[in-house]
Amino acid sequence: MILKITFWVLLAIIAYTYLGYTLVLFIANLFIRPRRKKTAIPETGEELPDISLIIPAYNEMNVIDRKIKNINSLEYPANKIDVIWLTDGSDDGSYEYLKEKTNHKVLHQTQRLGKSQAVNKAMKEVSTDLAILTDANTILNTESLNHIVAEFSDSKTGCVSGEKRIMPALTGNAVCAGEGIYWRYESFIKKLESDLNTAIGGAGELLGLRSNLFREIPADIINDDFYISVMIIKQGYRISYCPGAFALEKPSLNTKEEKKRKVRIASGGMQIFIRHPDLLNIFKYGFYSFQYFSHKVLRWTIVPALFFAIPVINLLIIVNNGIGNDWYSAILFIQALFFLLAILGAFIRSSSISFKTLFLPYYLTLMNISNLKGAWQYIRGNYDTKWEKSDRMI
């Protein structure tokens, strides 16, 4: 009996994490969504505020020209954008190239200290009320800065997260397919969270904030964008999710690169969870604590273990009771089919298949393995704050 109760409780936790929480947000948005001041994008350049666009870069010579072209194509008035590059220990000639080819402000750290320290140094050069962080390897839509600035018309908004989008790949392998589906699902949840209360955190690919709310990032922080977001929340402001502003990024080159990225994110999530346990204090942070627990804590620290424990418990129940026409046999069959598809996805992960949903079991399994590994690495202290960037598809 205890084994059966444990099985259903753990299964309910997994179902809630991936589906139930999203349903709760969706229903809550239908009935209790707060009325906020409507944001409007200013129509003329004179009404737009001056902003700083910060671009940390480590050996990004191969994408610099594309990024400069992208910045020049933005609808935001060029005379109102103070572009600040910071080449963090780059030795590929990008610092010298930027100094020669642009009139942007270009900072340099001779020693590579990591993205968080690059952001700290760049933020000290910011003289505008609003700062927007973006990565060198992403492409922003032309209206992105206008949309982000418009969100700050709400005085309680301290941070605005753009949407991360994965560029459609010419070959639909497992990583491309799974990453694209996963981020569309994540974007849907973030929009629901933002409309109801606040987004949990911002995406480092495109993140706007009120400059006076920035707090220096400790040198050992793994996920700088999540840390910045948490500090905004702790000062009593909300995070707005703005899908009208998006950053396009190429998918990871292969499974190894995607796993490396996810392991790091999970390590950073565990770091914030351990260092800032007060985020779960619902009396202090209200509905945000519920969101943080449901969306991040469960997914990073609890569900990955349950993901692999459930089939074992299910099998033990059937061994004790025998295979029969009952729920346990049916659920075990579904789980077996899921993991068989995951194994199939591993074997054909480099193939180009039009039916991309086939790769979803493989991607979810990869994600949970990565979350387990990332949490374990952080607990053991086996992590590096200097991100070795993932190789992306050409």
Side-chain angles (χ1 to χ4, degrees):
M1 179 60 72
I2 294 177
L3 205 57
K4 289 182 178 180
I5 292 174
T6 302
F7 171 80
W8 288 109
V9 169
L10 300 188
L11 188 62
I13 292 173
I14 293 178
Y16 169 75
T17 302
Y18 288 121
L19 296 174
Y21 173 59
T22 307
L23 185 61
V24 168
L25 292 175
F26 183 77
I27 294 173
N29 266 280
L30 290 178
F31 295 102
I32 59 173
R33 179 195 288 192
R35 292 184 178 180
R36 290 197 179 89
K37 179 182 177 182
K38 294 287 186 180
T39 58
I41 303 173
E43 295 182 359
T44 61
E46 290 75 16
E47 298 175 4
L48 292 167
D50 291 340
I51 61 173
S52 296
L53 186 66
I54 297 173
I55 311 170
Y58 168 66
N59 284 352
E60 297 283 12
M61 188 67 183
N62 61 324
V63 298
I64 282 179
D65 283 337
R66 186 183 69 177
K67 189 68 175 184
I68 293 172
K69 183 179 179 181
N70 179 224
I71 292 171
N72 293 336
S73 72
L74 299 176
E75 288 187 358
Y76 211 89
N79 65 326
K80 288 181 173 287
I81 306 176
D82 184 15
V83 183
I84 304 174
W85 292 80
L86 196 144
T87 53
D88 176 40
S90 297
D91 54 9
D92 62 345
S94 51
Y95 170 67
E96 293 79 11
Y97 185 81
L98 284 165
K99 292 284 286 185
E100 179 185 349
K101 296 293 183 179
T102 72
N103 59 355
H104 301 162
K105 185 177 293 183
V106 186
L107 310 175
H108 182 63
Q109 293 178 161
T110 54
Q111 180 184 358
R112 190 182 175 207
L113 301 177
K115 183 179 177 181
S116 62
Q117 299 313 295
V119 171
N120 283 342
K121 185 171 182 177
M123 285 299 297
K124 291 177 182 178
E125 301 294 321
V126 170
S127 59
T128 58
D129 291 337
L130 301 178
I132 298 175
L133 308 177
T134 183
D135 289 342
N137 68 334
T138 59
I139 296 297
L140 310 182
N141 62 309
T142 56
E143 312 90 356
S144 57
L145 302 188
N146 304 64
H147 280 285
I148 285 179
V149 166
E151 291 294 317
F152 285 106
S153 63
D154 181 348
S155 61
K156 290 304 293 178
T157 297
C159 179
V160 179
S161 174
E163 180 177 294
K164 174 183 175 179
R165 295 187 184 179
I166 303 301
M167 290 182 185
L170 296 177
T171 57
N173 63 31
V175 172
C176 301
E179 196 175 358
I181 293 171
Y182 174 76
W183 275 107
R184 286 195 293 272
Y185 169 65
E186 274 290 287
S187 296
F188 177 65
I189 295 176
K190 289 176 181 179
K191 186 67 169 65
L192 291 175
E193 290 174 332
S194 176
D195 288 346
L196 186 63
N197 181 43
T198 176
I200 303 298
E205 290 81 6
L206 183 55
L207 183 68
L209 68 150
R210 296 186 189 275
S211 304
N212 65 317
L213 298 181
F214 176 78
R215 297 294 178 264
E216 187 166 300
I217 307 168
D220 64 342
I221 285 295
I222 302 169
N223 292 349
D224 54 280
D225 50 2
F226 194 47
Y227 179 84
I228 292 172
S229 305
V230 165
M231 291 302 105
I232 297 290
I233 292 292
K234 286 198 166 192
Q235 293 176 76
Y237 290 81
R238 64 180 293 271
I239 301 168
S240 176
Y241 183 67
C242 181
F246 57 85
L248 281 170
E249 185 175 53
K250 292 181 179 180
S252 300
L253 181 63
N254 52 42
T255 300
K256 179 183 177 182
E257 295 301 315
E258 178 65 4
K259 185 178 179 181
K260 181 174 71 175
R261 191 180 69 83
K262 286 198 169 297
V263 166
R264 176 182 172 82
I265 291 172
S267 292
M270 179 62 74
Q271 183 182 56
I272 294 295
F273 173 62
I274 291 175
R275 293 193 181 183
H276 298 274
D278 59 320
L279 290 174
L280 294 174
N281 185 348
I282 201 165
F283 299 103
K284 188 175 183 180
Y285 296 108
F287 194 70
Y288 176 85
S289 296
F290 167 74
Q291 293 175 272
Y292 173 61
F293 176 76
S294 299
H295 193 170
K296 297 298 185 183
V297 176
L298 283 175
R299 206 178 289 190
W300 279 335
T301 65
I302 298 174
V303 166
L306 303 189
F307 190 81
F308 299 102
I310 281 286
V312 176
I313 296 173
N314 197 166
L315 187 60
L316 289 175
I317 293 172
I318 290 177
V319 168
N320 289 336
N321 298 333
I323 297 177
N325 250 346
D326 56 23
W327 281 103
Y328 300 103
S329 297
I331 293 173
L332 184 64
F333 174 78
I334 293 171
Q335 291 178 93
L337 181 61
F338 178 90
F339 284 109
L340 281 173
L341 288 173
I343 293 170
L344 176 63
F347 278 110
I348 63 172
R349 61 193 180 197
S350 298
S351 304
S352 178
I353 294 178
S354 57
F355 186 56
K356 295 179 173 56
T357 309
L358 178 66
F359 288 124
L360 194 54
Y362 170 72
Y363 190 81
L364 285 173
T365 304
L366 173 69
M367 182 176 69
N368 281 288
I369 290 173
S370 301
N371 286 345
L372 283 173
K373 184 177 180 180
W376 180 240
Q377 281 189 357
Y378 178 73
I379 291 170
R380 291 177 57 212
N382 182 25
Y383 64 91
D384 188 351
T385 58
K386 293 188 287 295
W387 169 231
E388 293 300 329
K389 61 184 180 180
S390 296
D391 291 332
R392 297 277 171 181
M393 296 190 73
I394 298 174

